[in-house]
Amino acid sequence: MLRSVNIGALALEAGGGLPSVTVAYECWGTLDEDGSNAVLIQHALTGSTHVSRGDSEEDGWWEGLVGPGEVIDTDRYFVVAANMLGGCYGTTGPSSIAEDGAPYGSRFPFVTIRDSVHAEARLADALGVTSWHAVIGGSMGGARALEWAVTYPERVRRCAVVAACAASTAEQIAFAQAQVLAIRQDPHFAGGDYYDGAAPTLGLGLARRIAHITYRSEAEMGARFGRFAQPGEDPLGHARLRPAAVGGAGRYQVEGYLDHQAQKLVTRFDANSYVAITEALMSHDVARGRGTLPEALARTEGVEFLVAAVNSDRLYFPAQSDELAEALPGRVVVRRIDSAIGHDGFLTEVAAVGDLLRESFFTD
């Protein structure tokens, strides 16, 4: 069940602040009296708080990893998943109502991964969590988990950074910029103030297509779709040059797949939140204002780390996980998730992720 806590005003890293912030979250299990059995799971870019089915009828995005008797056993641990600052699943974001009674829209400020972690720390305070048994995340969730360990090392005993890195690279920023521009250039975007009219679904759908290409591997797309045509369509013909609104065009199967992914997202996600969170991820640099990367990570000396990479990831290359591990205090060995899927392997290979967590953080 989705819950929420108002944490009050929040100062922002870029300056200024939000006068009132609500943090939405889901939780499973029971917190110990000393508040020490809590586990925080951080979602990816367009993810939600719904990690596990729990009492609902909808499977979670890491179903089989969290629950009674699972690797992260909710009979033993109090598991929390919070929606990121700037999101559209209950935490204050661009679609939230500002103090004047209208949605923030274009007035929503620039927020960072670090800002969201500060908000999540206030949530932890409200829940009575003194320290996390583990903070775990994949992709953008991995960036948030790492930021937690560096910002609040005294509150994080274990940290799992899966398919993520220490700072967004030039290539990752380039992919992200193309997605953000796709949304901003949609005629319905209206500078971000579209809530009383048509939503910029075409731009958001295009952003999702660009992103999803980076989430999957070339080998997986080739094996799954090849050059086959979408059933009932013929991609070899003049119809390919006609606008879709005029009569459509014969598609390849991979195009139909990307169209499907785009349609799924536009029915559940806010375009402004996509922009805000993507910009936050572009800003990700755990060493910002903290010296070199080894200097920034030195404060995590008492934190146990699990760093894992998907071997076929072409968005967050395994070498970036190696770089992070080498900069961490002590000797951290990067674990590999063997998957042909690509970056999304951190989501699809639940058993492999579970095995790594069982070996390291949940051995008892």
Side-chain angles (χ1 to χ4, degrees), residues 103-335:
Y104 275 104
S106 63
R107 300 174 298 165
F108 192 77
F110 181 88
V111 298
T112 65
I113 298 291
R114 201 169 295 178
D115 290 329
S116 191
V117 166
H118 286 311
E120 292 156 17
R122 300 256 199 101
L123 169 65
D125 293 340
L127 295 176
V129 176
T130 55
S131 67
W132 298 104
H133 173 84
V135 180
I136 301 165
S139 193
M140 185 188 74
R144 293 164 69 194
L146 179 62
E147 187 64 50
W148 249 103
V150 175
T151 303
Y152 298 104
E154 73 285 357
R155 303 186 70 170
V156 178
R157 282 172 283 157
R158 299 166 186 84
C159 178
V161 182
V162 183
C165 59
S168 293
T169 65
E171 182 177 66
Q172 289 158 1
I173 292 170
F175 280 128
Q177 188 225 28
Q179 296 167 50
V180 168
L181 284 179
I183 294 171
R184 288 179 171 150
Q185 292 180 0
D186 186 308
H188 293 304
F189 184 61
D193 297 314
Y194 53 80
Y195 293 110
D196 59 351
T201 56
L202 292 178
L204 179 57
L206 179 54
R208 180 61 166 181
R209 289 174 176 88
I210 296 168
H212 207 78
I213 294 168
T214 71
Y215 297 160
R216 298 291 173 136
S217 72
E218 187 277 336
E220 192 258 352
M221 284 192 175
R224 187 173 177 185
F225 305 113
R227 291 185 49 80
F228 293 109
Q230 186 76 357
E233 300 185 29
D234 181 7
L236 186 64
H238 300 300
R240 291 282 299 177
L241 301 183
R242 297 173 189 159
V246 175
R251 294 173 298 172
Y252 293 96
Q253 282 188 9
V254 69
E255 294 176 295
Y257 171 70
L258 292 176
D259 290 346
H260 173 67
Q261 294 298 326
Q263 186 58 39
K264 283 202 306 182
L265 186 74
V266 301
T267 60
R268 69 173 178 87
F269 213 81
D270 177 55
N272 271 330
S273 279
Y274 195 101
V275 170
I277 296 176
T278 298
E279 290 283 2
L281 185 54
M282 290 165 74
S283 78
H284 168 55
D285 181 358
V286 76
R288 184 172 53 250
R290 294 165 170 161
T292 65
L293 181 59
E295 289 171 345
L297 297 178
R299 63 177 67 196
T300 68
E301 188 170 1
V303 180
E304 179 184 348
F305 274 89
L306 167 63
V307 177
V310 180
N311 61 350
S312 58
D313 197 335
R314 60 176 176 177
L315 178 59
Y316 289 87
F317 292 100
Q320 293 171 280
S321 295
D322 295 336
E323 179 184 12
L324 169 61
E326 289 171 5
L328 285 166
R331 184 173 181 271
V332 177
V333 177
V334 178
R335 306 300 299 274

